[in-house]
Amino acid sequence: MSFYHISMSRKFQRSLFINPSKGGLWKSCALIFFSLLLILYGAIFLWPVVPATSNVDKGAAYKVKITPQSGLSAIAGQLSEQGVSTNVVTLQVAARVLLVGSKLKPGTYLLAPRASLGNILLQIARGDRVRESVAIIPGMTIWQLRNLIDQHPALIHQTKGMSSKELLMTIGLNYPGDEGLFYPDTYIFDPDDSDTSIYRRASQAMQRQLRTAWEQRDPATPLKTPYDLLILASIVEKETGRSSDRSLVSAVFVNRLNLKMPLQTDPTVIYGIGPKFDGNLRKTDLRKDSPYNTYMNKGLPPTPIAMPSKESLLAVVHPAKSDAVYFVARGDGTSHFSKTYKEHESAVDQFQRKRNSSTQAKPQ
């Protein structure tokens, strides 16, 4: 065979086979790797694993729940038990390929019917889950709050029917009652969380706010304990029609406590009547003795009368500089403040009696 034929034969062989000496093997391996990766990604994102039909009443999604502190194996088992077509090995491989193995978050998820494993893993890694909420409103009473939580459809009701004492023991508090102990805020939670967790979170938040406010108190305050602060803040909350008056309302009650005057505030009497109060406070109610009748008893009532806001707590420890010991509602949400009973009577005539002779001035 001539030199020409030998040379052409070698060129032909190089055109058919990869020459390892020039990186051909590396290119071949890379091509195989990326081909397999493409197939794997295709299987992860194209193969449906979620059932086609919803398991939610009147819904268009498939509901699954992943419990806290679950590893990949546990998550695979939970998904499989709830009807998702996956297993431990498949899920572990897919999670690692997508680099989300350590990012999967617990919670309740609404998955698209016929969604792929890749799509649901990315959704769980984002934490794109169902969230519920319950809002505690400033001025809400404990029976209003307990009814709200008892009726919430997304909570597991562990405390329903518990007495106040049992509820306090459950969340680790020791107070005369459960009124006023839960901080007004919106609490976000996962469906099927327990109502105990809401009470615990709200009580811990109130304890933090109460400690912060108590540390700012004037040494000359007539309040003896943080619980006294909580009680007075709840009265300020119920007596304040406009936030700008909050510190002045607080000043009136602090001044009355310093002067050993009865607080004479309607909201405490109303609280003593309880949930059966019909909205009409009568003179007979003001003359009926009870621990919450601050017309007949000096000092603070035995417990708070509502859930006070942070603003009311701070208003009590930072009352306005005022000598006022009376105030009366003007009818527009604000109050008129007076230093003397004569001035107060004039304000009552101006703002209350001429408008509605049956309306009670607060306090007297």
Side-chain angles (χ1 to χ4, degrees):
M1 181 180 294
S2 68
F3 176 80
Y4 172 79
H5 287 98
I6 294 173
S7 176
M8 291 299 293
S9 176
R10 288 176 178 174
K11 288 181 180 180
F12 178 70
Q13 290 174 5
R14 283 198 297 269
S15 68
L16 293 177
F17 300 100
I18 298 170
N19 188 345
S21 64
K22 294 189 177 181
L25 181 61
W26 182 88
K27 292 179 182 178
S28 178
C29 290
L31 181 62
I32 294 171
F33 173 77
F34 283 111
S35 297
L36 292 174
L37 196 62
L38 186 61
I39 294 171
L40 183 59
Y41 267 89
I44 291 173
F45 282 100
L46 297 178
W47 191 269
V49 297
V50 177
T53 56
S54 173
N55 62 350
V56 181
D57 291 340
K58 299 179 181 179
Y62 195 86
K63 183 178 179 180
V64 298
K65 183 176 181 179
I66 296 173
T67 60
Q69 299 179 340
S70 295
L72 290 177
S73 296
I75 291 173
Q78 292 165 28
L79 290 175
S80 180
E81 289 170 3
Q82 295 173 80
V84 177
S85 300
T86 188
N87 55 54
V88 174
V89 174
T90 303
L91 187 136
Q92 287 182 332
V93 170
R96 288 184 169 89
V97 167
L98 298 177
L99 305 177
V100 297
S102 62
K103 299 177 182 179
L104 302 182
K105 300 174 178 65
T108 299
Y109 293 86
L110 294 178
L111 309 177
R114 298 189 60 79
S116 67
L117 182 58
N119 286 330
I120 68 174
L121 284 175
L122 292 179
Q123 180 179 343
I124 296 171
R126 292 194 305 269
D128 185 9
R129 58 194 187 272
V130 178
R131 303 290 272 166
E132 297 283 350
S133 68
V134 62
I136 303 177
I137 308 301
M140 183 179 282
T141 62
I142 186 61
W143 51 80
Q144 291 171 327
L145 173 58
R146 294 202 66 174
N147 182 65
L148 174 69
I149 290 182
D150 285 348
Q151 300 301 318
H152 202 297
L155 286 167
I156 295 175
H157 299 287
Q158 299 176 331
T159 67
K160 193 171 186 178
M162 281 187 180
S163 66
S164 296
K165 184 177 181 180
E166 289 171 331
L167 174 60
L168 291 178
M169 289 179 61
T170 299
I171 60 178
L173 292 178
N174 182 23
Y175 282 97
D178 51 2
E179 183 62 82
L181 299 178
F182 305 101
Y183 185 64
D185 202 353
T186 298
Y187 295 89
I188 308 297
F189 63 92
D190 290 321
D192 299 326
D193 199 354
S194 71
D195 56 0
T196 304
S197 70
I198 302 298
Y199 285 119
R200 184 173 287 112
R201 288 166 58 192
S203 66
Q204 290 171 347
M206 181 60 85
Q207 292 300 308
R208 289 193 296 270
Q209 295 293 341
L210 190 58
R211 282 195 299 269
T212 300
W214 183 248
E215 290 170 357
Q216 301 177 37
R217 72 191 185 280
D218 187 328
T221 180
L223 306 175
K224 304 303 181 185
T225 67
Y227 194 57
D228 286 349
L229 165 57
L230 189 65
I231 294 171
L232 187 53
S234 73
I235 298 173
V236 171
E237 188 69 50
K238 298 297 284 186
E239 279 282 23
T240 304
R242 188 168 294 182
S243 58
S244 58
D245 285 346
R246 205 182 301 267
S247 62
L248 284 165
V249 171
S250 173
V252 167
F253 290 128
V254 169
N255 290 340
R256 281 180 166 254
L257 289 172
N258 282 326
L259 295 169
K260 310 299 181 184
M261 294 175 66
L263 297 183
Q264 295 183 312
T265 172
D266 291 358
T268 61
V269 180
I270 293 169
Y271 185 82
I273 297 172
K276 62 183 179 180
F277 177 64
D278 62 5
N280 185 19
L281 188 63
R282 301 168 178 84
K283 287 184 178 180
T284 55
D285 296 321
L286 301 180
R287 294 169 184 160
K288 188 180 297 183
D289 193 14
S290 86
Y292 292 93
N293 190 332
T294 51
Y295 287 86
M296 300 186 68
N297 299 291
K298 293 181 180 180
L300 296 168
T303 71
I305 61 170
M307 310 297 167
S309 62
K310 175 182 178 180
E311 291 74 19
S312 289
L313 290 169
L314 293 176
V316 170
V317 295
H318 298 296
K321 301 297 183 182
S322 171
D323 295 326
V325 289
Y326 303 95
F327 67 93
V328 63
R330 288 193 176 101
D332 61 356
T334 64
S335 297
H336 178 87
F337 297 86
S338 305
K339 297 179 182 179
T340 66
Y341 185 71
K342 182 178 180 180
E343 182 186 348
H344 174 62
E345 279 290 286
S346 177
V348 171
D349 284 334
Q350 179 180 356
F351 299 114
Q352 293 279 323
R353 292 188 181 125
K354 289 181 179 179
R355 187 178 71 250
N356 187 345
S357 61
S358 65
T359 301
Q360 296 292 327
K362 303 186 266 185
Q364 299 196 48

